[in-house]
Amino acid sequence: MVGVLDEKDDRHASADGKEKTVDGSIARLARMIGRDAAELTLPEWREVARWFSEQQLRKIHDAASLVAGPMARDVPIVGAGTGRWQIRRLAKRMQRRFVDFAEIIPADDAVRGEASSVAPASAVALLAGFQL
């Protein structure tokens, strides 16, 4: 709904088993807050989705601030996985350099994004000596 996830990153069925369209997402979001999808316009539903995204980022920011507090200001924030777009926002908010795991993983260019989306498995594979 907020237009930041690539369709290939969405690997699981929707919570209600229905289509992953904008209308389907609106219906699920509406149910989450006890409303009917017809009660708001598309721009209003997008604003609700952005609000949830912001709440998620605030929780991550609070936790990251506790961890990063004693670290030097030049220590970057590394983002990996399908949510790295959100971590890029976090780095900007924390005024730290962002490093995308996809850019530093030693893998073929064709699979870097995919390898980043499954970063823990990619890291284990690299530690075990496999080439990505």
Side-chain angles (χ1 to χ4, degrees):
M1 292 233 356
V2 293
V4 294
L5 289 179
D6 191 311
E7 281 190 35
K8 70 179 176 6
D9 290 331
D10 192 1
R11 300 163 193 254
H12 301 284
S14 64
D16 60 1
K18 295 187 179 173
E19 69 278 352
K20 296 180 184 179
T21 61
V22 171
D23 287 340
S25 296
I26 288 171
R28 284 184 290 280
L29 184 56
R31 280 194 302 274
M32 275 178 42
I33 60 172
R35 306 296 291 247
D36 184 78
E39 292 183 54
L40 298 175
T41 64
L42 176 60
E44 290 170 324
W45 281 119
R46 286 192 194 281
E47 189 56 37
V48 171
R50 279 191 288 275
W51 182 88
F52 275 103
S53 178
E54 175 61 25
Q55 298 314 302
Q56 178 187 46
L57 183 57
R58 285 181 185 194
K59 286 183 183 251
I60 296 167
H61 182 238
D62 289 348
S65 292
L66 291 173
V67 172
M71 293 183 183
R73 295 294 307 157
D74 61 341
V75 174
I77 292 176
V78 178
T82 58
R84 63 186 179 268
W85 63 273
Q86 188 77 301
I87 302 307
R88 184 182 303 275
R89 289 179 60 204
L90 171 69
K92 183 176 180 181
R93 188 172 286 191
M94 293 181 71
Q95 298 178 336
R96 288 188 178 261
R97 185 169 57 92
F98 174 79
V99 175
D100 189 333
F101 186 76
E103 295 171 8
I104 61 172
I105 189 168
D108 291 336
D109 288 343
V111 298
R112 283 176 183 249
E114 188 74 19
S116 179
S117 293
V118 293
S122 296
V124 170
L126 290 169
L127 287 171
F130 292 98
Q131 293 219 338
L132 303 178

